[in-house]
PDB file of all heavy atoms in Angstrom:
ATOM      1  N   ALA A 164     -15.912  -2.236   9.463  1.00 54.00           N
ATOM      2  CA  ALA A 164     -14.925  -3.124   8.844  1.00 54.00           C
ATOM      3  C   ALA A 164     -14.569  -4.260   9.797  1.00 54.00           C
ATOM      4  O   ALA A 164     -14.438  -5.415   9.391  1.00 54.00           O
ATOM      5  CB  ALA A 164     -13.672  -2.339   8.452  1.00 54.00           C
ATOM      6  N   TYR A 165     -14.422  -3.944  11.067  1.00 51.00           N
ATOM      7  CA  TYR A 165     -14.105  -4.967  12.054  1.00 51.00           C
ATOM      8  C   TYR A 165     -15.241  -5.983  12.148  1.00 51.00           C
ATOM      9  O   TYR A 165     -15.014  -7.193  12.196  1.00 51.00           O
ATOM     10  CB  TYR A 165     -13.837  -4.332  13.414  1.00 51.00           C
ATOM     11  CG  TYR A 165     -13.521  -5.337  14.484  1.00 51.00           C
ATOM     12  CD1 TYR A 165     -12.305  -6.023  14.471  1.00 51.00           C
ATOM     13  CD2 TYR A 165     -14.436  -5.628  15.488  1.00 51.00           C
ATOM     14  CE1 TYR A 165     -12.009  -6.965  15.438  1.00 51.00           C
ATOM     15  CE2 TYR A 165     -14.141  -6.567  16.458  1.00 51.00           C
ATOM     16  CZ  TYR A 165     -12.932  -7.230  16.429  1.00 51.00           C
ATOM     17  OH  TYR A 165     -12.652  -8.163  17.381  1.00 51.00           O
ATOM     18  N   ASP A 166     -16.477  -5.515  12.144  1.00 58.00           N
ATOM     19  CA  ASP A 166     -17.626  -6.427  12.179  1.00 58.00           C
ATOM     20  C   ASP A 166     -17.652  -7.320  10.938  1.00 58.00           C
ATOM     21  O   ASP A 166     -17.940  -8.512  11.031  1.00 58.00           O
ATOM     22  CB  ASP A 166     -18.943  -5.643  12.284  1.00 58.00           C
ATOM     23  CG  ASP A 166     -19.169  -5.087  13.678  1.00 58.00           C
ATOM     24  OD1 ASP A 166     -18.522  -5.568  14.634  1.00 58.00           O
ATOM     25  OD2 ASP A 166     -19.994  -4.167  13.804  1.00 58.00           O
ATOM     26  N   ALA A 167     -17.332  -6.753   9.768  1.00 58.00           N
ATOM     27  CA  ALA A 167     -17.292  -7.546   8.533  1.00 58.00           C
ATOM     28  C   ALA A 167     -16.212  -8.608   8.641  1.00 58.00           C
ATOM     29  O   ALA A 167     -16.407  -9.757   8.223  1.00 58.00           O
ATOM     30  CB  ALA A 167     -17.041  -6.647   7.321  1.00 58.00           C
ATOM     31  N   LEU A 168     -15.078  -8.258   9.223  1.00 52.00           N
ATOM     32  CA  LEU A 168     -13.988  -9.204   9.399  1.00 52.00           C
ATOM     33  C   LEU A 168     -14.422 -10.348  10.326  1.00 52.00           C
ATOM     34  O   LEU A 168     -14.171 -11.524  10.045  1.00 52.00           O
ATOM     35  CB  LEU A 168     -12.760  -8.494   9.967  1.00 52.00           C
ATOM     36  CG  LEU A 168     -11.571  -9.376  10.343  1.00 52.00           C
ATOM     37  CD1 LEU A 168     -11.065 -10.106   9.116  1.00 52.00           C
ATOM     38  CD2 LEU A 168     -10.492  -8.540  10.967  1.00 52.00           C
ATOM     39  N   ARG A 169     -15.080 -10.030  11.423  1.00 54.00           N
ATOM     40  CA  ARG A 169     -15.558 -11.060  12.348  1.00 54.00           C
ATOM     41  C   ARG A 169     -16.551 -11.984  11.665  1.00 54.00           C
ATOM     42  O   ARG A 169     -16.474 -13.203  11.793  1.00 54.00           O
ATOM     43  CB  ARG A 169     -16.196 -10.423  13.578  1.00 54.00           C
ATOM     44  CG  ARG A 169     -15.207  -9.942  14.581  1.00 54.00           C
ATOM     45  CD  ARG A 169     -15.830  -9.703  15.942  1.00 54.00           C
ATOM     46  NE  ARG A 169     -17.236  -9.435  15.858  1.00 54.00           N
ATOM     47  CZ  ARG A 169     -17.868  -8.469  16.513  1.00 54.00           C
ATOM     48  NH1 ARG A 169     -17.211  -7.678  17.299  1.00 54.00           N
ATOM     49  NH2 ARG A 169     -19.150  -8.297  16.398  1.00 54.00           N
ATOM     50  N   ARG A 170     -17.490 -11.424  10.910  1.00 57.00           N
ATOM     51  CA  ARG A 170     -18.466 -12.249  10.191  1.00 57.00           C
ATOM     52  C   ARG A 170     -17.772 -13.143   9.171  1.00 57.00           C
ATOM     53  O   ARG A 170     -18.096 -14.312   9.018  1.00 57.00           O
ATOM     54  CB  ARG A 170     -19.510 -11.374   9.505  1.00 57.00           C
ATOM     55  CG  ARG A 170     -20.530 -10.759  10.463  1.00 57.00           C
ATOM     56  CD  ARG A 170     -21.688 -10.128   9.710  1.00 57.00           C
ATOM     57  NE  ARG A 170     -21.290  -9.129   8.740  1.00 57.00           N
ATOM     58  CZ  ARG A 170     -21.057  -7.846   9.016  1.00 57.00           C
ATOM     59  NH1 ARG A 170     -21.171  -7.395  10.244  1.00 57.00           N
ATOM     60  NH2 ARG A 170     -20.693  -7.014   8.057  1.00 57.00           N
ATOM     61  N   PHE A 171     -16.797 -12.577   8.467  1.00 50.00           N
ATOM     62  CA  PHE A 171     -16.051 -13.341   7.468  1.00 50.00           C
ATOM     63  C   PHE A 171     -15.306 -14.494   8.128  1.00 50.00           C
ATOM     64  O   PHE A 171     -15.308 -15.623   7.644  1.00 50.00           O
ATOM     65  CB  PHE A 171     -15.077 -12.421   6.728  1.00 50.00           C
ATOM     66  CG  PHE A 171     -14.213 -13.148   5.753  1.00 50.00           C
ATOM     67  CD1 PHE A 171     -14.719 -13.537   4.525  1.00 50.00           C
ATOM     68  CD2 PHE A 171     -12.913 -13.456   6.059  1.00 50.00           C
ATOM     69  CE1 PHE A 171     -13.938 -14.228   3.621  1.00 50.00           C
ATOM     70  CE2 PHE A 171     -12.124 -14.144   5.156  1.00 50.00           C
ATOM     71  CZ  PHE A 171     -12.635 -14.522   3.941  1.00 50.00           C
ATOM     72  N   ALA A 172     -14.652 -14.238   9.249  1.00 50.00           N
ATOM     73  CA  ALA A 172     -13.888 -15.275   9.947  1.00 50.00           C
ATOM     74  C   ALA A 172     -14.816 -16.395  10.431  1.00 50.00           C
ATOM     75  O   ALA A 172     -14.457 -17.571  10.341  1.00 50.00           O
ATOM     76  CB  ALA A 172     -13.139 -14.654  11.120  1.00 50.00           C
TER      77      ALA A 172
END
Side-chain angles (χ1 to χ4, degrees):
Y165 179 71
D166 285 342
L168 174 61
R169 281 197 335 225
R170 286 191 304 275
F171 176 78

